[in-house]
Amino acid sequence: MRAFVVVGPGRAEVRDVAPPVPRIGEVVVDVERAGVCGTDAEFYSGHMAYLRSGDAAYPIRIGHEWCGVVSEVGADVDREWLGRRVTGDTMLGCGDCYRCLSGRQHLCADRFEIGIRGGWPGALAERLPVPVRALHPLPDSVDATLGALVEPGGNALRVVEAAGVTPTTRLLVLGPGTIGLLAAQIAAARGAEVHLLGRDEPSLAYARGLGFTHTWRRSNLPADLAFDAVVDATNAAELPGFAVGRVEPGGRVVYIGIAEEPSLVDSRELVLKDVTAVGVLSASGGLSGTIELYATGAVDPRPLVAATVGLSEAADVLAGRRLPEWGAAPKVHVDPRR
């Protein structure tokens, strides 16, 4: 089968590789669609922290936002899975440690991460092996574009829940990228007043085109505008501290973006303002809820996808080369069958 392989910083190729064979407890999925995200770009550039920690190494087969159809099952797996459209959890815990047994398998010290950690192959390929316990069925109303947006949507849903969003919440989202916009859409669906802060006009204009009328840069964000919760969905080292400074006393700050360098937060400010700060790692726990949001039409993130390309075009996308006609939509999908 064909698979996209990153072989070193700034170097990738489409290779013919052996197709996966399902082991005990696994299925093989024919990939319909896969998303490309910032983590994938960091592997391509060589900046991904796992490359330094030893949790990942070149060559690596990336891709962890995906959907597809189950085409093979392991000997012990119910054959009713065959032919079902699915997506799945990226985080694959060992299943036996304290964290896994207490429902925190996404924090397992020995976890695999599909297309990211431990050498588990990713979804930028025609076929993908997945443990059956990680699968989530997709209803017919969730098409391939939506299916490949379930994983980022699960992250965003967990962010919104961590922020405690209600219809009375005024929420500030830092960063109008994929996760930030998904969090904004989910929060708006819950009735919140959503504000978005970005650093360039094209991304803010795009957000306004989605219906978000409250868009700001730091230079024009009103000093007296109070926010019940702030979400940092950026990789800017200075914004975690900024988020604490802008949230109301007694409010909540949620961090999902990761800066390349340490970011400083003054814990005195957290204490004196009685702020709750929460970090979110992965979509685990948010996938089923996201599928329901998409299936019912409560949230439709399909406009976030600028284009769908083939495997041979993935390197250009990872390098940041975009066609002008794609506009400012933040997400690019890959169809491995092209």
Side-chain angles (χ1 to χ4, degrees):
M1 69 171 189
R2 298 165 66 243
F4 183 84
V5 185
V6 181
V7 297
R11 296 185 296 117
E13 54 195 45
V14 178
R15 292 180 175 176
D16 286 323
V17 302
V21 176
R23 298 174 295 187
I24 297 297
E26 291 181 4
V27 306
V28 170
V29 174
D30 291 348
V31 179
E32 285 185 291
R33 198 69 49 84
V36 174
C37 82
T39 299
D40 301 315
E42 288 181 355
F43 275 120
Y44 183 75
S45 69
H47 293 152
M48 175 59 184
Y50 281 177
L51 295 168
R52 295 188 294 277
S53 67
D55 290 304
Y58 296 122
I60 183 167
R61 286 169 46 189
I62 58 174
H64 58 278
E65 305 173 0
W66 57 271
C67 67
V69 178
V70 176
S71 58
E72 291 186 62
V73 298
D76 63 332
V77 176
D78 192 331
R79 293 185 63 82
E80 288 190 2
W81 281 104
L82 286 170
R84 298 188 74 176
R85 294 183 61 250
V86 296
T87 187
D89 200 338
T90 298
M91 315 297 261
L92 311 178
C94 71
D96 297 318
C97 69
Y98 175 74
R99 294 175 190 172
C100 286
L101 295 175
S102 61
R104 297 175 294 149
Q105 55 85 26
H106 66 294
L107 300 175
C108 173
D110 297 322
R111 70 184 180 275
F112 291 96
E113 298 177 24
I114 292 176
I116 299 175
R117 189 177 194 260
W120 196 284
L124 265 65
E126 293 178 321
R127 309 185 86 193
L128 175 72
V130 188
V132 69
R133 58 186 165 81
L135 295 179
H136 288 260
L138 295 176
D140 292 340
S141 56
V142 176
D143 62 18
T145 300
L146 289 173
L149 286 166
V150 168
E151 197 277 342
N155 279 277
L157 177 57
R158 289 193 63 213
V159 163
V160 170
E161 291 177 343
V165 169
T166 72
T168 64
T169 299
R170 179 183 287 157
L171 173 70
L172 176 63
V173 178
L174 311 180
T178 300
I179 298 297
L181 289 171
L182 281 164
Q185 287 186 312
I186 294 169
R190 295 189 175 191
E193 179 185 311
V194 178
H195 295 246
L196 284 153
L197 185 141
R199 60 185 180 186
D200 61 70
E201 180 54 28
S203 63
L204 292 175
Y206 178 76
R208 288 193 293 273
L210 294 175
F212 296 105
T213 57
H214 305 297
T215 61
W216 311 96
R217 296 188 190 184
R218 287 184 66 174
S219 60
N220 67 356
L221 181 66
D224 59 350
L225 194 55
F227 296 104
D228 304 297
V230 180
V231 169
D232 179 14
T234 77
N235 60 2
E238 71 276 10
L239 288 186
F242 174 82
V244 175
R246 289 310 308 249
V247 75
E248 274 287 279
R252 302 178 73 87
V253 175
V254 184
Y255 298 111
I256 190 167
I258 301 176
E260 289 187 20
E261 58 190 74
S263 51
L264 301 180
V265 173
D266 190 340
S267 62
R268 296 171 297 182
E269 193 168 11
L270 289 173
V271 172
L272 294 172
K273 292 178 67 174
D274 199 19
V275 168
T276 300
V278 182
V280 170
L281 172 70
S282 91
S284 300
L287 298 171
S288 294
T290 301
I291 292 169
E292 182 177 359
L293 285 173
Y294 294 173
T296 61
V299 174
D300 183 2
R302 284 173 290 194
L304 303 186
V305 179
T308 300
V309 303
L311 287 176
S312 61
E313 301 162 273
D316 283 339
V317 173
L318 292 166
R321 294 187 286 270
R322 294 169 58 103
L323 297 178
E325 57 265 33
W326 291 357
K331 177 63 68 177
V332 175
H333 278 173
V334 175
D335 182 345
R337 300 165 297 185
R338 290 191 180 183

